[in-house]
């Protein structure tokens, strides 16, 4: 029995089969290279779905995390710790947002944003102004309420009753959005690039108009940057490139560099919405996770972010010339690859594993989310494997 077979058989027996796993068991890694249980090497173009911002086992990140780990691992939110405030300060100074609530994952951050939006409206206008407009084909998480917020029918099954109060509008369809916003709406919540939905950037003209409408009607603009945030698109947050000022921004995936961490960022209007007792989570602002997050944000300076852009363009240019590829979409190191009809994205991912590159899918596209620290040598090696995988399909 190979090491892989052993790991897999145990998993098959004892772990809930809620994921369709690929036949790989990873054991160690360095930046964008990793190794499986039987010693095969892969270039990682997934970064744990946009989580390992600084790649596997970055020295600075390990030093920051282990330094905190050997002081305190957790204290609860009944007391102060330094990493929490330091990371919140960085997030606010770098974005112009005013306050931060720390959570543990994307769905949870979005839950916090939804609660805050409803409370903001309740405080000002009383009950009944609680609807939230989201986009068709969006993805906001897997809790009952964030599933309800997700604008895809496939997610609205089995788990009835879903949370009331969400209305959906096509990305780019401003007329419908305006109609939906006539009454009873407290917030519009959108991704700027629909990630799980197929790496689809939302039209900047539409986003601008939504932002103006929201401002005019005191409807909160909530931007879900769980996937696009923390340098992924070549700016600290993607909203900067859209030239808008959101009222609430959520971040997760890459924010902790590999530890479970998420954040809800509040702007001028919303910074005071939550008072003591209004919202909480036991693990929120865990000092080890925040120490990791602090190292991540420190590294994402202007030069680093320019490199993210340059590397993204370099990859897209090369990928466009590959077999079966009809185009690319995305920003920075969030890249979707459109394929000719008949070529399935999941087939490409499986062939990629055989060739030594780890890839993601997003709907009918192949999706790349390499660590932001991926080197050009790693990129070239990964792209060579991707090209061979495409040739096989
Ligand atoms: C991944 C993702 C989520 C959910 O995050 P979890 O950490 O899995 O709960 C929410 N919104 C967007 C845009 C995402 O990409």
């Amino acid at each position: 029995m190979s090491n892989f077979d052993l790991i897999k058989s145990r998993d098959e027996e004892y772990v809930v089969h809620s994921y369709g796993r690929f036949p790989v068991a990873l054991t160690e890694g360095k930046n964008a290279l990793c190794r499986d249980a039987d010693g095969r090497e892969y270039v990682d173009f997934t970064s744990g779905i946009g989580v390992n911002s600084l790649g596997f086992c970055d020295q600075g990140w390990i030093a920051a995390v282990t330094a905190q780990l050997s002081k305190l691992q957790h204290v609860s939110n009944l007391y102060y710790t330094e990493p929490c405030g330091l990371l919140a300060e960085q997030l606010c100074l770098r974005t112009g947002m005013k306050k931060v609530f720390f959570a543990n994952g994307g769905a949870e951050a979005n839950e916090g944003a939804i609660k805050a939006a409803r409370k903001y409206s309740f405080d000002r206008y009383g009950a009944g102004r609680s609807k939230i407009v989201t986009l068709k084909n969006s993805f906001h998480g897997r809790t009952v309420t964030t599933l309800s917020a997700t604008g895809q029918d496939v997610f609205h099954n089995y788990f009835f009753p879903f949370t009331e109060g969400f209305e959906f509008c096509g990305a780019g369809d401003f007329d419908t959005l305006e109609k939906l916003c006539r009454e009873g709406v407290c917030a519009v919540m959108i991704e700027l690039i629909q990630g799980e939905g197929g790496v689809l950037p939302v039209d900047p003209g539409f986003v601008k108009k939504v932002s103006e409408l929201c401002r005019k009607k005191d409807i909160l603009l909530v931007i879900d940057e769980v996937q696009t945030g923390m340098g992924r698109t070549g700016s600290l947050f993607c909203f900067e490139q859209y030239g808008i000022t959101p009222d609430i921004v959520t971040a997760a995936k890459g924010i902790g560099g590999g530890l479970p961490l998420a954040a809800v960022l509040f702007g001028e209007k919303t910074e005071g919405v939550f008072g003591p007792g209004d919202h909480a989570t036991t693990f929120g602002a865990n000092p080890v996770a925040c120490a990791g997050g602090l190292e991540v944000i420190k590294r994402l300076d202007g030069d680093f972010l320019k490199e993210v852009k340059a590397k993204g363009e370099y990859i897209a240019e090369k990928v466009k010339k590959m077999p079966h590829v009809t185009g690319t979409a995305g920003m920075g190191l969030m890249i979707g690859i459109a394929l000719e009809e008949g070529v399935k994205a999941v087939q490409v991912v499986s062939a990629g594993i055989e060739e030594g590159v780890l890839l993601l899918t997003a709907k009918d596209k192949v999706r790349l989310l390499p660590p932001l620290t991926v080197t050009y040598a790693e990129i070239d090696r990964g792209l060579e494997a991707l090209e061979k995988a495409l040739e096989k399909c």
Side-chain angles (χ1 to χ4, degrees):
M1 219 184 206
S2 67
N3 294 330
F4 169 71
D5 290 332
L6 197 62
I7 291 168
K8 180 180 170 184
S9 65
R10 200 181 292 121
D11 202 288
E12 290 278 302
E13 184 155 1
Y14 295 113
V15 178
V16 168
H17 294 176
S18 60
Y19 299 101
R21 298 200 206 279
F22 289 99
V24 178
L26 296 170
T27 51
E28 58 186 333
K30 188 79 202 155
N31 205 37
L33 293 180
C34 56
R35 208 181 286 279
D36 72 17
D38 297 297
R40 283 198 67 210
E41 216 174 44
Y42 305 85
V43 176
D44 175 30
F45 279 171
T46 73
S47 62
I49 319 188
V51 166
N52 301 326
S53 316
L54 306 177
F56 288 115
C57 301
D58 175 83
Q59 281 310 315
W61 184 83
I62 290 176
V65 167
T66 53
Q68 180 56 44
L69 198 50
S70 45
K71 287 186 206 157
L72 294 167
Q73 76 274 36
H74 180 73
V75 302
S76 89
N77 281 298
L78 299 174
Y79 310 107
Y80 295 91
T81 54
E82 199 172 33
C84 166
L86 286 173
L87 179 56
E89 176 182 52
Q90 282 303 310
L91 286 165
C92 290
L93 292 177
R94 296 279 303 268
T95 59
M97 301 299 280
K98 299 297 175 200
K99 293 245 180 339
V100 181
F101 177 89
F102 288 108
N104 311 291
E108 204 192 310
N110 286 337
E111 287 269 349
I114 290 163
K115 283 175 71 178
R118 286 182 166 179
K119 182 160 187 296
Y120 172 86
S121 195
F122 189 92
D123 289 347
R124 292 206 163 191
Y125 304 99
R129 192 178 177 274
S130 56
K131 278 192 288 188
I132 296 177
V133 178
T134 69
L135 298 182
K136 290 180 184 165
N137 195 46
S138 56
F139 183 78
H140 297 296
R142 296 283 192 161
T143 61
V144 171
T145 294
T146 55
L147 279 178
S148 307
T150 292
Q152 301 187 52
D153 290 339
V154 291
F155 289 106
H156 302 155
N157 271 312
Y158 324 124
F159 312 118
F160 302 100
F162 285 93
T163 308
E164 288 174 42
F166 293 94
E167 308 253 15
F168 310 108
C169 153
D173 181 0
F174 184 72
D175 290 346
T176 300
L177 186 123
E178 196 174 29
K179 277 188 200 121
L180 290 173
C181 285
R182 282 195 190 141
E183 227 187 270
V185 172
C186 65
V188 173
M189 177 159 106
I190 62 174
E191 295 160 274
L192 295 172
I193 304 175
Q194 296 189 322
E196 302 306 310
V199 195
L200 303 170
V202 177
D203 173 55
F206 169 76
V207 173
K208 260 249 146 73
K209 282 205 277 191
V210 172
S211 164
E212 282 158 17
L213 179 76
C214 284
R215 181 138 323 180
K216 210 167 69 195
K217 303 185 73 114
D218 196 22
I219 290 172
L220 298 179
L221 180 59
V222 181
I223 306 293
D224 178 347
E225 294 237 28
V226 168
Q227 192 159 153
T228 53
M230 297 314 289
R232 178 53 59 186
T233 66
S235 51
L236 188 62
F237 283 92
C238 190
F239 77 76
E240 299 162 38
Q241 298 182 62
Y242 275 78
I244 53 168
T245 306
D247 298 301
I248 300 177
V249 178
T250 56
K253 293 196 164 83
I255 192 174
L259 289 170
L261 181 66
V264 189
L265 278 54
F266 294 100
E268 243 154 50
K269 270 191 190 178
T270 52
E271 63 171 315
V273 170
F274 283 148
D278 287 335
H279 194 48
T281 165
T282 300
F283 283 111
N286 172 274
V288 178
C290 285
L294 199 54
E295 177 67 18
V296 171
I297 198 167
K298 276 187 188 160
R299 296 273 287 277
L300 304 188
D301 63 14
D303 287 341
F304 185 102
L305 293 169
K306 259 187 227 149
E307 271 295 290
V308 169
K309 275 224 147 111
K311 287 187 269 193
E313 282 160 19
Y314 178 84
I315 292 173
E317 277 315 303
K318 297 225 156 173
V319 166
K320 274 182 195 140
K321 297 182 191 127
M322 290 186 186
H324 306 306
V325 172
T326 58
T328 62
M331 292 163 80
L333 285 171
M334 179 170 178
I335 300 167
I337 305 171
L339 302 167
E340 282 166 8
E341 238 185 83
V343 183
K344 295 256 177 305
V346 66
Q347 247 183 290
V348 178
V349 174
S350 293
I353 290 169
E354 286 165 24
E355 296 303 327
V357 62
L358 302 179
L359 309 161
L360 295 162
T361 63
K363 289 271 166 76
D364 51 357
K365 286 189 184 144
V366 171
R367 173 176 42 157
L368 311 183
L369 296 173
L372 307 180
T373 49
V374 66
T375 65
Y376 281 96
E378 289 163 341
I379 290 172
D380 285 341
R381 182 169 160 188
L383 289 179
E384 205 175 298
L386 171 60
E387 182 150 33
K388 282 195 189 133
L390 283 162
E391 278 164 8
K392 279 186 170 177
C393 291

